[in-house]
Amino acid sequence: MARQPATITEIDAIYYRWLAAAGSAQATKQAEQQILDELTRLAREPIAGAALVPRIPAIIPQLMRTLQNENMSAAELSRQLAQDVLLVAEVYREANRPRYHSRYNASPSINNMEGAIMLLGQNGMRMLLARVAFRPIVSMQSGGLTIRTAPLIWRQSEKCALAANLVAPAMQANAFDAYLAGLMANVGLVVAFRLIDQMHAPDAFPQSDAFIAQVFAQARILSVRIAELWEFPESVTRAIGHAGQTDADPQAQALAQGERLSKLRMLVDTGRFPADDPFVMAGLGKSELLVFDKLADEDDEDDEA
């Protein structure tokens, strides 16, 4: 008998325990509740939650406004980018990745900003800037658990954003909004892991099924509240809030698919499951499998760059 597709609750439970390397004794219900109470408080008071993650660099909204203009000028965008040397480096790095040059018969390296902007195109630049903007938010470090989980959360965020972006057109959803939602959806989870880091006892880890389900639920609410504080488009905040619900709109459906595929991809890439395991494959159609494979391709290209 064919296996039924795993629910997102099942995937989240395995993903959480793998992410945290949860191998110690189980924390008490009281200890778990104290963490959940604090996370719930932050969801009610998002300014306090937002204070635990750095703001997006000020230059990013200006660049995003320029990119919203369908008639954007590469020269104007180049001038704005020049204000941030780290952004300049990222644009050159992206433009010189092998995947771009294989389309152009291995053309020489791009060494001027306007050429890089033209090669990446409007959508490529939007995605690059969003990725750069969010990296310090998700990759922040504090205690030992956060230091371990932050790079993994960021990798999954990038994969989620890419997957949501790729599935969005078939769902009549906005591809760039889906990308932003994928990057933003984990901000509350970063805060949750900081709380767990600070509040859990060294010899007992919070990892009950009920606790994990509540952590993801409250972290999602907090992500929505922080996205609203930062004045993200309403379609993005709505997608984060409704992803996984039965009556979700196309934007939220794209994000839900991105979350599922990216978490499964992380569990496969790190050896938790073989790629052909029924837990991973059940329910994935041809189009989903193509996206699932593409998420791994991105890592391969990064290794070659």
Side-chain angles (χ1 to χ4, degrees):
M1 184 176 178
R3 190 196 193 286
Q4 290 296 308
T7 66
I8 193 61
T9 301
E10 292 174 315
I11 294 172
D12 281 347
I14 294 172
Y15 178 70
Y16 171 94
R17 293 187 179 107
W18 163 79
L19 191 62
S24 60
Q26 166 67 43
T28 65
K29 287 186 177 180
Q30 181 181 10
E32 289 188 338
Q33 192 59 51
Q34 287 174 345
I35 295 170
L36 290 173
D37 287 346
E38 179 63 11
L39 187 57
T40 302
R41 182 188 71 81
L42 291 177
R44 288 197 306 265
E45 303 171 16
I47 293 176
L52 297 178
V53 289
R55 287 291 308 243
I56 291 174
I59 186 65
I60 298 293
Q62 177 187 349
L63 291 165
M64 287 296 188
R65 284 192 292 273
T66 300
L67 284 164
Q68 293 294 340
N69 182 358
E70 297 297 333
N71 300 313
M72 73 165 190
S73 159
E76 171 62 16
L77 188 58
S78 177
R79 185 189 65 76
Q80 292 179 10
L81 280 165
Q83 300 175 49
D84 191 317
V85 66
L86 293 179
L87 280 178
V88 169
E90 287 286 349
V91 172
Y92 279 132
R93 179 176 180 272
E94 182 76 6
N96 284 297
R97 282 185 174 177
R99 69 170 172 269
Y100 290 105
H101 297 281
S102 63
R103 302 173 191 169
Y104 299 94
N105 300 317
S107 58
S109 296
I110 298 291
N111 56 15
N112 69 84
M113 184 53 59
E114 289 188 37
I117 291 168
M118 295 302 291
L119 178 65
L120 296 178
Q122 187 176 30
N123 194 50
M125 285 296 302
R126 284 175 176 172
M127 292 166 67
L128 170 65
L129 291 174
R131 204 162 62 239
V132 171
F134 276 82
R135 190 173 298 150
I137 293 173
V138 182
S139 298
M140 58 186 293
Q141 299 180 354
S142 56
L145 179 64
T146 311
I147 289 173
R148 170 190 153 69
T149 58
L152 300 174
I153 291 174
W154 175 242
R155 281 179 59 197
Q156 188 254 319
S157 297
E158 288 191 303
K159 290 177 185 292
C160 178
L162 177 61
N165 177 267
L166 291 172
V167 304
M171 297 179 175
Q172 283 75 54
N174 180 285
F176 184 61
D177 281 0
Y179 191 85
L180 285 178
L183 291 178
M184 187 71 203
N186 273 335
V187 170
L189 189 62
V190 174
V191 175
F193 269 104
R194 287 199 69 182
L195 289 179
I196 294 167
D197 214 355
Q198 295 164 3
M199 297 178 68
H200 87 278
D203 58 345
F205 194 78
Q207 54 186 303
S208 71
D209 287 346
F211 174 81
I212 294 171
Q214 281 299 306
V215 162
F216 278 92
Q218 292 300 320
R220 182 173 299 278
I221 293 170
L222 184 54
S223 292
V224 172
R225 299 290 182 262
I226 295 175
E228 289 171 344
L229 275 180
W230 290 349
E231 299 180 355
F232 272 75
E234 195 269 339
S235 60
V236 171
T237 59
R238 186 177 64 249
I240 298 170
H242 292 97
Q245 296 182 8
T246 54
D247 59 347
D249 65 14
Q251 209 70 48
Q253 291 177 34
L255 175 59
Q257 189 70 273
E259 291 182 319
R260 180 184 189 87
L261 291 170
S262 59
K263 288 172 182 174
L264 290 173
R265 185 78 254 177
M266 290 289 289
L267 293 171
V268 167
D269 286 350
T270 54
R272 179 63 179 78
F273 290 101
D276 59 354
D277 192 286
F279 182 85
V280 176
M281 292 290 103
L284 300 186
K286 184 178 179 180
S287 60
E288 288 87 3
L289 287 172
L290 287 173
V291 174
F292 186 75
D293 289 343
K294 177 64 176 173
L295 300 185
D297 290 343
E298 285 294 295
D299 285 344
D300 292 341
E301 288 178 356
D302 286 345
D303 292 341
E304 295 170 12

